Amino acid sequence: MAKEIKSTTVTIEKEVKKSLKQKGTSNKKNISVLKSTGLNKQQILDSLRLMLLARGIDNKAMNLLKQGRTFFHIAGSGHEAIQTAVGMAIDSNNDWLFPYYRDLAVVLAAGTTPVDFFMECFSKADDPNSGARQLPCHWGSKKINLPSQSSPTGTQFLQAVGTALSLKRRNKNNFAFVSSGEGTTSQGEFHEAVNWASREKLPVLFLIENNKYAISVNVSQQSGGKNHSISEMMSGYKNLLRLSIDGTDYSESHNAVKEALKYLKSGKGPVLIEAYVVRLLSHSSSDDQKKYRDAKELEEDLKNCPILKLSTKLIDEKIITEDEFKQIKEDVNKEINKAVDESINMPDPLPETASRYVFDESGKKESLSYESSIPEGAPVVMVDAINHALHEEMENNENIYVFGEDIADRKGGVFTVTKGLSTTFGEERVFNSPLAEASIMGVATGMALTGLKPVVEIQFGDYIWPGLMQIKSEIATMRYRSNNTWFAPVVTRVPVGGYIHGGLYHSQNIESIFAHIPGLFIAYPSNAADAKGLLKTACRIDDPVIFCEHKGLYRQSSAMSPEPDENYLLPFGKAKVVKEGTDITVISYGVSMWDSVLAAKTLADEGYSVEVIDLRTIIPLDVETIFNSVKKTNKAVVIHEDTLTGGFGAEIVSRISDECFEYLDGPIKRIAAIDAHIPYSPILENAVLPNRKRIYEGIKNLLKY
């Protein structure tokens, strides 16, 4: 590619000189680069150099891959003009960057170095992007406000909105930049992000780099906008400034970015720039675009190479000479080669570090004072205990923001858990979100990255699934994938469970799904005091938490308890023996725990001694309490409301089998919901979910084994 650029540039220069000589005059119809941009010569040369640096790194990375020294690369060749214009305009100390994997020139302009790039390319231990944990071209840097980027396309949009919301709430006159290719605008999260940003007039610069191909799929098969334009598709948003430009023309790109920043700073709303660019190399090193693109089309794209266009214009206008251009390229190549030599000799990561930073290792959660008092306030139901915890923690920490669907007053949540919060703390800190779970989770992630502490509500566990991508691939992985540089300690409150005649879509249990995701803590309290203590802890630690609240226990008298004071915290990973016994161990949580206690009391009247353990948290799991009990009783049964197949009880059974096999006097049993959806009819619901009779009989059968 480098040879192609050089030869093409020389050819154009000869043709221009020939034309000028024939006319005997300069072409005065074109406005000069300096005049059209308002930049001085040095600024223009800095931009040209940056474009050459990005292109040179692309070429070098592809050569290294062909040599078998690296494994993957995604090139930005053909996108450099608009990327450089944006990158040069960003204040990396105060603005925020959410680029996509092709944005090499953006991150170089913002402060990433060639050495940084090649350390990631060679997967070196000191790679500042991810510590060798992510693919190349997955940017991340604390020093330039560039949160760790992931591979799922489009997840960055809502995070940028959350960051911009944080900037606006704190009266910071800066903006969040976010970009993607045109293909990613087919993702729903892109539309959710534009909607939220436009509605609240947030300072978000959306850059869509339209090279017409999402891997092999043409934009004509992606966008429903007029002429397949992304900008046209967004025409309904009145607060959104839309600009459609030639992204291969540096002057046009620079001026568009300047106009965009003026609009953003005015507070009128977000900006969307659709920049038409060319993809000079295949989608990635794993792709070959010659299989699906015509040779003529590729040849035409090469004529629109942004480096050719800018360098030829600068030479034509005598801003630089051909020799000066050649010298810049030589200097750039020397810098790249030096960066490669420096990076390749750096230390590789150690195998023993592979599992570090799944969770916070700073010692913060261990330093908290747990159970510093005994709950002895007036008896309180669980819903009120949770409400009081939120009030106390918002009073304690001004960085806590609470939002979700219908959570503001006068509604105060569909279960009134958040009642009074917006009245007390104002609608800046407690507010209703759009009816979009991905938006809730993505915006919360962006806010958390700026240092805020979002405590969000998903109205029902049944509807958390649109937000699963943000939870699974973004929140849970943020600390790990950035090698402990970034983290997003979002607290997600979720009403879950059945027994309320809610049918298929208001009764789901979610804990086993989320327990499979490294990086998430999962709380599942069974009484008011535990709910308050665990939620307050969740609000203070730096790990993300899924906080399961069983709807059937919100106002259940059995779940009432004396209320703890404002300093009461419960540690995650500490189960509670709610009833001691010697004949059998019952491990449970949620409503099933209370049904187990009831069965244990009935069995006590029959002469059996049943020990009941309330897990309180699913992750971390208190295996020590479980193992000690099983070694004492020699029998174990795990009871939960979720389905039998794949339920979290299977994990507990497996661990008991691994660690306590020689102590067992019988099989480890599970009592759970049958493998069916939860129906509306109380008769059918009772048949599906574990009921008191089935729990009693299941425990007794194992006792008699």
Side-chain angles (χ1 to χ4, degrees), residues 355-386:
S355 61
R356 292 204 65 185
Y357 306 129
V358 174
F359 293 104
D360 179 26
E361 298 179 14
S362 69
K364 181 175 182 178
K365 57 181 173 288
E366 290 79 10
S367 69
L368 297 175
S369 178
Y370 296 108
E371 300 178 279
S372 59
S373 60
I374 298 173
E376 52 188 9
V380 63
V381 293
M382 185 186 287
V383 69
D384 289 342
I386 294 170

Side-chain angles (χ1 to χ4, degrees), residues 398-611:
E398 64 180 10
N399 287 324
I400 291 180
Y401 283 69
V402 174
F403 59 97
E405 298 162 12
D406 300 296
I407 63 96
D409 294 328
R410 292 180 272 179
K411 181 71 174 176
V414 295
F415 298 103
T416 70
V417 178
T418 54
K419 185 177 180 180
L421 289 178
S422 64
T423 300
T424 302
F425 298 101
E427 294 184 358
E428 290 287 294
R429 291 182 63 194
V430 183
F431 52 91
N432 291 324
S433 72
L435 203 161
E437 288 76 17
S439 288
I440 294 171
M441 300 316 306
V443 168
T445 304
M447 294 177 74
L449 292 169
T450 70
L452 300 182
K453 182 72 175 185
V455 181
V456 301
E457 177 181 303
I458 299 296
Q459 201 164 83
F460 288 88
D462 315 62
Y463 306 126
I464 198 170
W465 310 117
L468 182 60
M469 176 70 86
Q470 288 289 341
I471 298 170
K472 166 71 170 69
S473 296
E474 302 297 327
I475 292 173
T477 65
M478 187 66 71
R479 185 185 295 277
Y480 181 82
R481 75 176 193 238
S482 68
N483 201 27
N484 203 37
T485 301
W486 295 95
F487 55 96
V490 178
V491 178
T492 307
R493 294 183 36 258
V494 197
V496 298
Y499 303 103
I500 64 165
H501 319 314
L504 281 71
Y505 301 110
H506 296 83
S507 307
Q508 292 177 19
N509 293 279
I510 65 172
E511 72 275 7
S512 66
I513 304 298
F514 287 96
H516 187 68
I517 303 173
L520 296 176
F521 279 172
I522 304 173
Y524 203 138
S526 299
N527 63 74
D530 288 356
K532 184 174 183 181
L534 287 169
L535 182 55
K536 289 172 71 69
T537 298
C539 290
R540 299 192 188 191
I541 63 177
D542 284 337
D543 287 304
V545 176
I546 303 294
F547 199 85
C548 297
E549 303 168 5
H550 200 293
K551 302 183 293 291
L553 295 176
Y554 270 149
R555 292 176 174 83
Q556 181 61 249
S557 60
S558 61
M560 291 180 68
S561 62
E563 182 170 5
D565 63 27
E566 68 275 11
N567 298 313
Y568 185 75
L569 306 177
L570 266 183
F572 277 66
K574 184 178 180 180
K576 181 180 181 180
V577 178
V578 297
K579 186 180 183 304
E580 294 188 354
T582 57
D583 294 335
I584 192 171
T585 297
V586 176
I587 303 118
S588 190
Y589 52 93
V591 167
S592 296
M593 194 282 299
W594 290 110
D595 289 341
S596 299
V597 170
L598 185 63
K601 290 178 179 178
T602 302
L603 289 165
D605 294 337
E606 299 175 20
Y608 296 105
S609 179
V610 180
E611 182 148 297

Side-chain angles (χ1 to χ4, degrees), residues 326-367:
K326 181 180 179 180
Q327 186 62 52
I328 294 172
K329 290 197 294 182
E330 288 178 358
D331 291 344
V332 163
N333 287 333
K334 287 179 183 178
E335 182 180 358
I336 292 170
N337 290 331
K338 182 180 178 182
V340 170
D341 292 341
E342 183 178 341
S343 302
I344 200 168
N345 293 315
M346 289 184 173
D348 294 321
L350 300 174
E352 54 266 31
T353 65
S355 61
R356 292 204 65 185
Y357 306 129
V358 174
F359 293 104
D360 179 26
E361 298 179 14
S362 69
K364 181 175 182 178
K365 57 181 173 288
E366 290 79 10
S367 69

Side-chain angles (χ1 to χ4, degrees), residues 64-85:
L64 290 168
L65 192 141
K66 291 173 183 177
Q67 295 165 8
R69 299 165 81 182
T70 61
F71 309 108
F72 187 75
H73 181 64
I74 301 181
S77 295
H79 292 229
E80 294 95 346
I82 182 60
Q83 289 182 5
T84 299

